[in-house]
Amino acid sequence: MNMAISEPPAFKVGDCRTISRDKRSWHRLEADLVRRSGLAKEETAITSSRHVVLLNVQGNCERGEYFIDGRNAGFVPRKPGAILFVPAGCSWRGWEAGASTAAYLAIQVKPAHVAELLAGVQLDALPSLSPDLGFEDPIILNAARGIGAEIRDRNPLSAMLVESYTATIFAQLMRRQRYPAAVRKGGLAPMNLNRVIQRIDDDLTADLSLSQLADLAGLSVPHFCRAFRQTLGCPPYAFIIRRRIERAKDFLRHSSMPVTDIALSCGFSNSSHFSNAFRREVGTTPVAYRGSWPGKA
């Protein structure tokens, strides 16, 4: 299923029966609560102009495979309360299977609205938003539940509450990505972490698979994905993109290489893919970033 930007559809498609569906729109935000039964394998294929926050309300998601912008993003089993986040402009495709009865809450927010909510924060203090396809965060969970509760509540203060919940969600998303979680029990051992990061840095142009990275750490792919996220606060795919962007920044600041050559040298498939990823990560285009440095305009 391809997502139409103007109409928020059910995000997951498969043979099932929709028990109920409630949705509501506020200022630059839409929420969609879907309950279904008779689920088997479901498929997802969306590219949204809005940020998407997806809360697993009911039913375990036990197995599957996800791709972000055509690259394997792994899969981590989820239970009720788990959250997925896909930034505007990202292509999310894949499949999943789990409980036969399930429910999810999809929250779509226009990037311009997030910018308005965070207008009082200096732009250079804000991290970019990267996809994260399965994590737990009590602050985001409670705020998302608050938005879900307002779908049917026609109180005149509803819009104000939803705006507050939305600001909380995105402030927490940015804080998670600005300040990665410290190594905790269950995370990657320092030696294994260094080995994985070294492999990534040695060849940023390589299309490394999760299996290759998991082998370096001596773990299964699911265990590696969980441990990696627990250690660094983001999935392996997002980390690789960030390392590529940091390498690209060095080229933009200290070389006269064309942007297309920089894109290919840092592992991006083309200049368009590079520009989109750079804008999401840095908040501006590669050309504008280069022009902001003395002598590079």
Side-chain angles (χ1 to χ4, degrees):
M1 160 197 135
N2 288 318
M3 191 179 95
I5 292 172
S6 59
E7 173 66 18
F11 277 78
K12 302 180 185 303
V13 176
D15 294 331
C16 64
R17 180 173 68 89
T18 298
I19 301 173
S20 65
R21 185 177 184 189
D22 297 307
K23 57 182 179 177
R24 186 177 177 188
S25 299
W26 294 272
H27 177 58
R28 299 184 179 180
L29 180 147
E30 293 174 339
D32 198 4
L33 178 59
V34 180
R35 300 181 184 276
R36 296 174 301 165
S37 66
L39 298 177
K41 180 178 179 180
E42 301 178 282
E43 296 184 356
T44 300
I46 66 170
T47 302
S48 177
S49 63
R50 304 181 183 190
H51 299 309
V52 176
V53 178
L54 201 66
L55 170 65
N56 187 10
V57 176
Q58 177 186 2
N60 291 343
C61 187
E62 298 167 353
R63 59 191 184 280
E65 187 175 27
Y66 290 149
F67 296 86
I68 292 289
D69 293 335
R71 294 176 181 268
N72 194 312
F75 176 83
V76 176
R78 303 188 312 278
K79 59 185 180 181
I83 301 158
L84 293 90
F85 173 69
V86 182
C90 274
S91 170
W92 170 30
R93 297 175 183 272
W95 66 272
E96 62 184 46
S100 62
T101 299
Y104 67 82
L105 172 67
I107 300 169
Q108 297 183 87
V109 187
K110 291 185 178 180
H113 187 42
V114 176
E116 288 177 0
L117 293 174
L118 303 176
V121 183
Q122 292 182 342
L123 291 178
D124 58 1
L126 294 177
S128 62
L129 292 168
S130 300
D132 195 342
L133 303 183
F135 64 96
E136 296 181 9
D137 187 294
I139 294 176
I140 296 176
L141 170 62
N142 289 332
R145 283 175 171 170
I147 292 175
E150 294 300 315
I151 292 178
R152 291 186 174 183
D153 194 333
R154 300 299 169 176
N155 190 294
L157 296 176
S158 180
M160 184 180 298
L161 284 171
V162 167
E163 186 170 282
S164 174
Y165 290 136
T166 304
T168 297
I169 288 172
F170 282 90
Q172 183 66 0
L173 281 170
M174 290 181 176
R175 185 163 65 175
R176 283 175 56 86
Q177 297 189 34
R178 172 67 77 183
Y179 305 109
V183 175
R184 299 185 293 270
K185 182 179 179 181
L188 288 174
M191 182 176 66
N192 289 338
L193 176 63
N194 291 337
R195 186 182 297 123
V196 170
I197 292 177
Q198 187 64 50
R199 178 67 182 90
I200 292 171
D201 286 343
D202 282 347
D203 191 359
L204 283 175
T205 63
D207 192 9
L208 295 172
S209 69
L210 286 172
S211 295
Q212 289 174 295
L213 297 178
D215 286 343
L216 287 173
L219 301 172
S220 66
V221 170
H223 187 181
F224 170 76
C225 289
R226 286 194 297 271
F228 191 98
R229 180 182 283 107
Q230 193 167 13
T231 303
L232 293 180
C234 65
Y237 173 81
F239 180 81
I240 291 173
I241 292 297
R242 291 174 187 174
R243 301 297 265 201
R244 289 174 174 173
I245 292 297
E246 290 303 315
R247 180 76 56 83
K249 285 181 178 178
D250 286 339
F251 282 126
L252 291 168
R253 291 194 302 263
H254 305 301
S255 81
S256 58
M257 289 174 61
V259 170
T260 298
D261 290 347
I262 292 175
L264 298 176
S265 297
C266 294
F268 295 97
S269 57
N270 52 56
S271 58
S272 177
H273 180 206
F274 170 50
S275 294
N276 289 336
F278 194 96
R279 187 182 293 108
R280 287 196 300 267
E281 185 71 19
V282 183
T284 187
T285 66
V287 172
Y289 179 85
R290 169 174 270 173
S292 68
W293 287 84
K296 293 295 182 179

